[in-house]
């Protein structure tokens, strides 16, 4: 009888010890996870923007030409100027030739030691033949940097079936935001073109050097109500770029996603700059400094800070905050639209 009692007590004690060991172990794992998360946040914020020195971009590119799409306004134009400042020849691509000519003139007035070429292309044209002509033009030079910046957003946030511009606007957003980063890399040696190619990559693979920057949006980080197609297409950019990094990680090619928050540009309809809303020039300089030091980042330290803090908020709360902001933006846009209609 005593032996049975002793055995039971021993088993209970062993069970308690095992339970305690499990709880202690789980506690250590939880602490390690929290510590890792904090370290990652600080690394994402401080690493590419404070601690790490910018790389030699020309050496990483391996060629003297940079192509920038959507280069006559906003972030794209700022990228073109910043790349010119760093000594790259720039091939700027946009829809309107007159704006391209003006941008070319502005760049050369400031940086006369480089060459600027232009190519007019309407990126709503999804036809392979159109891309073939564009890519044949771009293939006249050896490209070290490709900045896929061209993009289109909503006029103002709204539910899908009420989006201003209707089906045509939604189709254009889908086409412009997804096809260029997929197809505009299709520049092959000897002007050979195929839709199955990964674009400019064959040039870069051959010399084991090159930089591709796909400009997305912080809208890709959340499933944003009232921005359905825009948010989803920017997620495509992020996803595609991450996969390309895996496919070409051993080829000496740097492939980066830039997902900015608010920048004072024509597209954002924001004119006033602040710590959280830089102008295009400040943003482009900061973003290019992160190439080689961050594969997926916002491009600007205050944007990265906002992203990391937002990511700490539970999803259901974050969704509510973002939706309320979008509803407010929509209401303000509709009020402005109504005032303009009355004034006509």
């Amino acid at each position: 009888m005593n032996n049975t009692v002793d055995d039971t007590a021993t088993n209970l004690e062993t069970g308690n010890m095992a339970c305690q060991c499990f709880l202690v172990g789980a506690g250590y794992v939880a602490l390690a996870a929290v510590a890792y998360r904090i370290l990652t946040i600080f690394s994402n914020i401080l690493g590419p923007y404070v601690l790490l020195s910018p790389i030699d971009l020309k050496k990483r590119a391996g060629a003297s030409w940079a192509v920038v799409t959507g280069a006559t306004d906003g972030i794209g134009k700022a990228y073109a100027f910043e790349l010119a400042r760093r000594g790259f020849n720039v091939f700027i691509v946009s829809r309107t030739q007159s704006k391209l000519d003006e941008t070319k003139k502005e760049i050369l007035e400031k940086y006369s030691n480089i060459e600027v070429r232009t190519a007019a292309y309407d990126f709503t044209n999804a036809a392979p033949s159109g891309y073939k002509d564009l890519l044949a033009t771009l293939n006249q030079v050896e490209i070290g940097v490709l900045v896929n910046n061209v993009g289109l957003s909503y006029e103002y946030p709204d539910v899908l079936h009420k989006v201003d511009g209707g089906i045509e606007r939604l189709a254009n957003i889908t086409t412009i935001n997804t096809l260029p980063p997929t197809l505009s890399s299709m520049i092959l040696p000897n002007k050979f073109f195929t839709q199955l190619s990964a674009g400019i990559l064959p040039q870069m693979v051959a010399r084991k050097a090159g930089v591709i920057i796909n400009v997305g949006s912080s809208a890709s980080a959340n499933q944003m109500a009232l921005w359905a197609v825009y948010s989803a297409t920017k997620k495509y950019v992020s996803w595609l770029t991450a996969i390309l990094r895996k496919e070409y990680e051993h080829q000496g090619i740097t492939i980066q996603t830039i997902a900015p928050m608010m920048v004072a540009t024509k597209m954002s309809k924001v004119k006033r700059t602040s710590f959280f809303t830089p102008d295009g020039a400040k943003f482009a300089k900061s973003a290019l400094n992160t190439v080689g030091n961050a594969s997926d980042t916002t491009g600007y330290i205050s944007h990265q800070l906002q992203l990391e803090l937002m990511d700490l908020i539970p999803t259901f709360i974050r969704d509510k905050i973002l939706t309320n902001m979008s509803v407010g933006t929509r209401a303000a846009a509709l009020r402005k639209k109504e005032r303009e209609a009355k004034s006509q």
Side-chain angles (χ1 to χ4, degrees):
M1 182 66 131
N2 288 338
N3 288 340
T4 302
V5 172
D6 291 341
D7 289 344
T8 301
T10 301
N11 289 338
L12 287 172
E13 186 176 350
T14 302
N16 288 335
M17 290 180 62
C19 184
Q20 288 179 339
C21 288
F22 174 79
L23 292 175
V24 170
Y28 279 123
V29 169
L31 286 174
V34 170
Y36 176 78
R37 182 72 180 109
I38 293 173
L39 182 63
T40 300
I41 290 172
F42 278 97
S43 176
N44 290 343
I45 296 172
L46 299 179
Y49 300 103
V50 178
L51 302 178
L52 300 175
S53 299
I55 65 169
D56 185 337
L57 191 59
K58 275 201 163 183
K59 183 177 180 181
R60 182 67 62 92
S64 61
W65 279 90
V67 172
V68 184
T69 65
T72 57
D73 283 306
I75 292 175
K77 186 174 183 178
Y79 261 107
F81 270 82
E82 181 61 23
L83 286 162
R85 187 186 72 83
R86 298 183 187 214
F88 283 91
N89 300 316
V90 289
F91 214 134
I92 55 176
V93 186
S94 193
R95 181 176 59 183
T96 308
Q97 187 61 53
S98 60
K99 294 183 71 174
L100 285 166
D101 292 339
E102 182 62 29
T103 301
K104 175 180 177 178
K105 180 182 176 183
E106 291 174 13
I107 294 173
L108 290 176
E109 284 176 351
K110 195 168 185 178
Y111 307 107
S112 58
N113 60 321
I114 59 102
E115 185 178 349
V116 180
R117 296 190 188 184
T118 68
Y121 189 75
D122 183 352
F123 283 99
T124 62
N125 176 14
S129 59
Y131 269 91
K132 183 175 181 179
D133 294 339
L134 171 64
L135 297 170
T137 300
L138 296 178
N139 197 42
Q140 295 171 6
V141 300
E142 190 175 6
I143 298 166
V145 178
L146 171 63
V147 181
N148 279 308
N149 164 76
V150 65
L152 183 65
S153 184
Y154 290 9
E155 191 65 28
Y156 51 83
D158 213 332
V159 293
L160 188 63
H161 74 285
K162 292 184 178 181
V163 169
D164 189 53
I167 292 176
E168 183 177 356
R169 181 84 177 193
L170 294 175
N172 287 342
I173 290 172
T174 303
T175 300
I176 292 175
N177 291 356
T178 60
L179 278 186
T182 309
L183 303 182
S184 66
S185 314
M186 297 179 182
I187 303 167
L188 306 175
N190 304 319
K191 297 187 176 71
F192 179 74
F193 175 87
T194 171
Q195 287 193 56
L196 299 178
S197 166
I200 197 175
L201 288 165
Q203 265 196 35
M204 295 180 173
V205 169
R207 67 174 180 264
K208 293 194 177 298
V211 176
I212 295 178
I213 301 169
N214 287 333
V215 180
S217 167
S218 59
S220 65
N222 299 282
Q223 297 168 6
M224 294 184 64
L226 307 186
W227 295 97
V229 176
Y230 180 74
S231 179
T233 56
K234 291 303 182 179
K235 184 63 176 180
Y236 171 86
V237 173
S238 176
W239 206 255
L240 171 70
T241 312
I243 293 171
L244 290 178
R245 277 196 295 272
K246 294 177 184 294
E247 292 180 351
Y248 293 91
E249 61 184 348
H250 302 302
Q251 302 290 344
I253 301 167
T254 299
I255 304 177
Q256 184 190 49
T257 310
I258 289 290
M261 290 197 170
M262 197 65 71
V263 179
T265 65
K266 181 179 177 181
M267 183 174 175
S268 70
K269 298 181 176 64
V270 175
K271 296 181 180 179
R272 295 180 61 182
T273 62
S274 67
F275 174 69
F276 291 107
T277 309
D279 60 26
K282 287 183 179 179
F283 177 83
K285 181 178 180 180
S286 171
L288 279 173
N289 283 341
T290 69
V291 173
N293 291 328
S295 58
D296 191 336
T297 186
T298 59
Y300 202 75
I301 188 169
S302 62
H303 290 188
Q304 196 65 36
L305 176 63
Q306 291 176 80
L307 181 68
E308 299 297 338
L309 292 177
M310 286 289 288
D311 200 36
L312 293 175
I313 301 173
T315 302
F316 75 97
I317 297 177
R318 185 168 67 242
D319 286 348
K320 184 68 173 176
I321 293 171
L322 292 172
T323 299
N324 286 342
M325 290 173 62
S326 295
V327 168
T329 301
R330 177 181 179 275
L334 290 176
R335 286 194 298 270
K336 180 180 179 181
K337 191 175 182 179
E338 185 177 354
R339 287 196 303 270
E340 291 173 349
K342 289 180 179 179
S343 66
Q344 291 178 352

